[in-house]
Amino acid sequence: MPIPRRSWAEPFKIKVVEPVRLTAPGQRLAAIREAGYNTFLLRSEDVYIDLLTDSGTSAMSDRQWAGMMLGDEAYAGSRNFYRLEAAVQRLYGYRYLIPTHQGRGAEHIISRILIKPGDVIAGNMYFTTTRLHQELAGGRFEDVVIPEAHDPASEHPFKGNVDLEKLEALIARHGAARMPYVSIAATVNMAGGQPISLENLRAVRKLTARHGIRVILDATRVAENAYFIQQREAGQQGRSIAEIVKETCSLTDGCTMSAKKDALANIGGFLALNDETVFEEARNLVVVYEGLHTYGGMAGRDMEAVAIGLEESVEDSHIRARVGQVLYLGEKLRAWGIPIVLPIGGHGVFLDARAFLPHLPQEQYPAQALAAALYLDSGVRAMERGTVSAGRNQDTGEENRPKLELVRLAIPRRVYTQAHMDVVAESVFCVHEERQRVPGLKMVYEPRYLRFFQARFEPLA
Ligand code: F0G
């Protein structure tokens, strides 16, 4: 008898385990009340399966842990800095490296250098910290992602693509002198981990080059983006992830990077650049905000872990299993008719909270409510990516009402098993069965910046 299909498995075995525990329903209720119905404010001890984020939550390899022992904790000129610099040059192809404590440190520095008050920064959908740093530098963010990105049901293979006509119209309206750079994310987190194609990025490069506008890449999940290119884009099937990553970077002038995601480290980040003048300014500013330009807020051992993680992140077998696990969870939910963002993204499965909880208007924060309900059901922690995350309009102070009202089940890399994914899927199924009982929320405390991290809520019913 022929076997119907051949499975793949993770390209690693497990050497160290960390116990997790499921608390009782009454304890979960007490914990979520204490946390103001905000999963960011839960204690991780009270969480069973933690899908809050894929950021800094990866399991490091034995090579990375061995590398940690080779940390050279010199204040200046640590050998691990040079290892990291060489890894970025080899794998991403940029000339200059500025280490930072994490991605937002790099966003801060590049925004301060390139943005003047009144400038307009176009990008393929906003990311929370990226946009805030652009705004704090006096800029205004304009979304130029294709419209399909705002439609959870659209199965466009590259929902992270830029709408080139929209970008061209923006340049015509504001003039290239007011547009210091175009901000390109690969993948687009807020759209559901959706990729941008090489073809589209090449076209963005061509268009912006005509106007002398830079392209700055958010390379946080560039290896996952490369996987989708390899799987979906015409002519890319024979290429390695490493080749595609390098070409992606080559179409841009620099990148900001959170090493806490693709790069498989628990902390770290960097700014990488090709322009020597911008680099020199960044090397000076980093000293003010992060640390000396050969550590930028990272310990030597962390730079070593990032250097090794970067190498591992572009291995084809790694990325196939990583995204494969996300697809496994997503396919399961999809087969059960649970509304999720399609196509399934690279770093997580995103529940469509508007379709999931149609009885809740957006003013009652359906995604926040759904994340709380999921935690109450099973101790699974997810994250709101909807109205709370979108914040308020810079000029009017009104709440932004994004089309996407999502709950993200972000999957840490190399951390959970297929059985954990089954438990998560079954819990989502049960909450869906009982969805009429999920109450809306009202916000009772709202911090000024990035409110989703610390806001507090109370149930309405
Ligand atoms: N860019 C993207 C696309 C991100 O997803 C993140 C972080 C950052 C930049 C900022 O990097 O956290 O190292 O300062 N995203 C995390 C998340 C927080 O959960 O998606 P950072």
Side-chain angles (χ1 to χ4, degrees):
M1 271 269 287
I3 328 178
R5 69 163 201 159
R6 302 297 298 265
S7 298
W8 54 265
E10 288 78 3
F12 55 81
K13 55 185 176 175
I14 296 165
K15 183 147 31 191
V16 178
V17 297
E18 176 184 338
V20 291
R21 85 194 160 109
L22 176 60
T23 57
Q27 287 172 291
R28 296 201 290 276
L29 182 59
I32 198 76
R33 278 188 180 148
E34 173 83 25
Y37 287 76
N38 184 347
T39 51
F40 276 105
L41 301 178
L42 287 167
R43 291 168 184 241
S44 105
E45 270 186 346
D46 294 326
V47 172
Y48 177 37
I49 299 175
D50 202 348
L51 307 186
L52 181 71
T53 177
D54 63 323
S55 180
T57 53
S58 299
M60 292 207 294
S61 65
D62 50 1
R63 277 187 66 218
Q64 284 178 293
W65 279 110
M68 297 283 279
M69 288 305 292
L70 303 177
D72 169 9
E73 307 305 341
Y75 188 91
S78 159
R79 103 168 70 86
N80 312 110
F81 166 77
Y82 296 103
R83 289 258 302 121
L84 177 59
E85 185 185 51
V88 171
Q89 287 167 344
R90 188 173 73 253
L91 299 167
Y92 287 14
Y94 299 112
R95 307 225 314 260
Y96 304 111
L97 177 75
I98 304 282
T100 58
H101 76 286
Q102 57 184 78
R104 67 198 74 178
E107 292 166 357
H108 175 211
I109 289 170
I110 196 68
S111 300
R112 266 186 180 252
I113 294 173
L114 295 182
I115 299 172
K116 295 183 300 303
D119 280 355
V120 172
I121 300 89
N124 55 347
M125 203 177 265
Y126 83 101
F127 183 72
T128 53
T129 57
T130 321
R131 183 180 67 186
L132 179 60
H133 280 299
Q134 291 162 354
E135 290 174 352
L136 290 174
R140 190 160 52 84
F141 179 81
E142 288 278 353
D143 186 5
V144 292
V145 80
I146 56 170
E148 287 87 343
H150 294 280
D151 173 8
S154 160
E155 296 205 48
H156 191 293
F158 290 103
K159 284 165 95 171
N161 279 356
V162 168
D163 183 331
L164 296 160
E165 281 175 26
K166 213 167 166 184
L167 177 56
E168 184 128 45
L170 261 190
I171 300 172
R173 177 141 33 99
H174 299 286
R178 288 269 101 191
M179 297 182 66
Y181 61 94
V182 172
S183 194
I184 295 294
T187 58
V188 180
N189 190 354
M190 301 302 278
Q194 303 295 332
I196 178 170
S197 71
L198 272 181
E199 185 190 18
N200 184 257
L201 185 56
R202 286 191 199 111
V204 170
R205 184 58 161 180
K206 214 167 145 191
L207 170 60
T208 49
R210 266 211 325 269
H211 296 277
I213 299 174
R214 290 188 172 88
V215 178
I216 300 292
L217 178 69
D218 182 338
T220 295
R221 298 183 182 85
V222 70
E224 289 168 8
N225 196 85
Y227 180 71
F228 289 123
I229 289 173
Q230 187 194 55
Q231 298 301 306
R232 297 179 187 163
E233 189 162 345
Q236 299 296 322
Q237 281 67 41
R239 298 180 77 195
S240 68
I241 296 299
E243 279 176 276
I244 298 172
V245 164
K246 198 149 181 190
E247 184 177 349
T248 305
C249 296
S250 77
L251 295 166
T252 69
D253 298 287
C255 79
T256 55
M257 177 72 177
S258 169
K260 303 171 71 174
K261 284 86 166 173
D262 262 5
L264 296 159
N266 300 126
I267 193 71
F270 55 81
L271 174 64
L273 295 161
N274 286 331
D275 184 313
E276 195 178 350
T277 326
V278 181
F279 162 67
E280 270 170 14
E281 227 173 304
R283 186 170 57 176
N284 193 201
L285 264 192
V286 76
V287 187
V288 183
Y289 295 106
E290 303 280 318
L292 192 72
H293 59 276
T294 56
Y295 76 88
M298 276 188 281
R301 55 179 174 269
D302 294 323
M303 291 192 280
E304 189 65 26
V306 174
I308 297 169
L310 278 175
E311 271 170 37
E312 294 178 357
S313 77
V314 299
E315 282 169 15
D316 284 58
S317 59
H318 158 72
I319 204 78
R320 177 168 88 144
R322 189 283 182 278
V323 179
Q325 187 176 44
V326 177
L327 298 182
Y328 174 83
L329 174 61
E331 295 295 354
K332 205 155 187 165
L333 293 175
R334 186 180 190 182
W336 289 341
I338 312 282
I340 59 171
V341 173
L342 296 171
I344 297 158
H347 65 298
V349 177
F350 290 65
L351 306 176
D352 178 358
R354 288 172 111 170
F356 201 112
L357 301 175
H359 62 289
L360 297 187
Q362 239 180 330
E363 303 82 71
Q364 296 183 16
Y365 310 114
Q368 190 79 31
L370 180 53
L374 186 64
Y375 172 74
L376 282 169
D377 180 72
S378 61
V380 169
R381 170 155 69 171
M383 182 193 291
E384 192 264 7
R385 293 275 83 154
T387 303
V388 182
S389 295
R392 292 183 181 273
N393 181 290
Q394 236 183 324
D395 306 319
T396 66
E398 298 276 295
E399 277 194 320
N400 293 318
R401 293 259 182 261
K403 287 208 182 111
L404 296 177
E405 190 70 49
L406 309 177
V407 171
R408 184 182 72 173
L409 304 165
I411 317 294
R413 297 165 185 78
R414 310 191 290 207
V415 169
Y416 291 114
T417 65
Q418 192 159 310
H420 288 115
M421 296 301 111
D422 290 338
V423 167
V424 171
E426 288 156 22
S427 174
V428 173
F429 180 87
C430 289
V431 174
H432 192 245
E433 288 291 288
E434 301 276 307
R435 57 193 176 277
Q436 288 302 335
R437 313 233 305 249
V438 175
L441 297 174
K442 71 164 189 265
M443 199 185 293
V444 294
Y445 167 69
E446 179 178 359
R448 181 153 161 221
Y449 299 117
L450 303 175
R451 62 183 189 169
F452 56 92
F453 282 129
Q454 291 146 341
R456 301 184 70 84
F457 304 82
E458 278 169 13
L460 281 164

